Amino acid sequence: MNKKIQLQDLGKRDYKSTWEYQEEIFKDIVDLKIKNRREELDLPTPNYLLFVEHPHVYTLGKSGDLENLLLNEKQLEAKGATFYKINRGGDITYHGPGQIVGYPILDLENFFTDIHKYLRLLEESIILTLAEYGLESGRSEGETGVWLGVGTPFARKICAMGVRASRWVTMHGFALNVNVDLGYFDNIIPCGIRGKGVTSLNVELGVEKVDEEEVKSKIIKHFTELFEAEFV
């Protein structure tokens, strides 16, 4: 069991090229697992956590409803945004500047074979990070991700999640709003959920800008503890 995770910060990077990069890593890990099984080998499988910031983009999960995108092609272009239908779970979401996107590509057989637990630990890493900023966040029943004001009329999502897993290898992940222009969420029904808001860390803290590198370091700290992992 290899509990070392290779951390890669990709900086600002186009969604499509990042998706292709994820797919490449994902395939390499799956292929290695197949080789191990076929040839009765025990070669260690690698794990990765990719951090990235995307230009304005909307992505729709495989079970999502296209009607939750409220823009046509010309309007997308006017907003400087792109759109992709992708192979993760969940509905529609937005990625853009000021958002920390994390893509853990893990072989869960190195950690535990439980997708439900995996999702809960991803959420917990964000919940614990937000607690360090004095924010009480949590889960909303039946709705993946991390929310503020759960159970109140002011419930609002601060972190979206959507993953794919095959042969216990994960891809896609989470998107935490840190310094995001929330106006871009007005162009979708986020995650297909009506009547609930979206927020960003800087808005909740009442500041113009939060240090994103500091937020990443806190996420890494909690991820390390929760997954009993080591970043390299």
Side-chain angles (χ1 to χ4, degrees), residues 28 71 84 118 120 137:
D28 286 346
L71 300 174
Y84 294 100
Y118 171 65
R120 300 296 79 80
S137 60

Side-chain angles (χ1 to χ4, degrees), residues 25-206:
I25 295 172
F26 179 87
K27 182 179 183 300
D28 286 346
I29 298 172
V30 169
D31 286 351
L32 180 54
K33 294 186 76 168
I34 292 170
K35 177 183 173 74
N36 278 342
R37 196 153 295 171
R38 281 183 181 161
E39 300 179 21
E40 297 184 351
L41 301 171
D42 194 23
L43 301 171
T45 50
N47 307 288
Y48 295 82
L49 173 59
L50 312 180
F51 277 132
V52 66
E53 182 182 77
H54 293 305
H56 303 296
V57 61
Y58 296 100
T59 68
L60 183 70
K62 57 189 176 185
S63 57
D65 186 344
L66 188 55
E67 290 188 5
N68 290 327
L69 174 64
L70 308 178
L71 300 174
N72 60 33
E73 201 170 319
K74 280 190 176 179
Q75 290 169 321
L76 274 171
E77 196 175 314
K79 291 276 183 186
T82 52
F83 169 77
Y84 294 100
K85 188 165 174 56
I86 61 173
N87 59 352
R88 61 160 168 78
D91 206 286
I92 197 161
T93 196
Y94 161 78
H95 297 311
Q99 187 183 70
I100 294 174
V101 178
Y103 295 130
I105 309 175
L106 310 180
D107 179 2
L108 289 182
E109 288 192 301
N110 286 325
F111 301 92
F112 47 78
T113 49
D114 185 332
I115 294 295
H116 179 78
K117 180 179 179 180
Y118 171 65
L119 283 167
R120 300 296 79 80
L121 290 189
L122 278 190
E123 290 167 345
E124 191 66 18
S125 68
I126 301 301
I127 290 168
L128 292 171
T129 295
L130 295 173
E132 292 203 51
Y133 290 93
L135 295 178
E136 186 179 338
S137 60
R139 301 170 181 86
S140 181
E141 193 174 343
E143 297 165 344
T144 305
V146 178
W147 298 73
L148 301 176
V150 176
T152 75
F154 308 105
R156 55 217 182 272
K157 183 177 258 191
I158 194 166
C159 183
M161 292 191 181
V163 304
R164 175 193 172 200
S166 177
R167 294 181 184 265
W168 297 113
V169 181
T170 67
M171 63 179 290
H172 300 297
F174 62 85
L176 175 63
N177 299 333
V178 180
N179 298 301
V180 173
D181 178 352
L182 296 174
Y184 276 83
F185 285 97
D186 295 339
N187 304 315
I188 59 173
I189 300 168
C191 304
I193 302 166
R194 294 179 182 273
K196 288 188 179 177
V198 179
T199 191
S200 184
L201 183 55
N202 66 324
V203 172
E204 295 297 325
L205 297 180

Side-chain angles (χ1 to χ4, degrees), residues 12-29:
K12 294 182 180 180
R13 185 160 169 168
D14 169 73
Y15 186 85
K16 188 170 186 293
S17 69
T18 310
W19 183 15
E20 288 168 350
Y21 182 52
Q22 274 196 84
E23 291 277 13
E24 187 182 307
I25 295 172
F26 179 87
K27 182 179 183 300
D28 286 346
I29 298 172

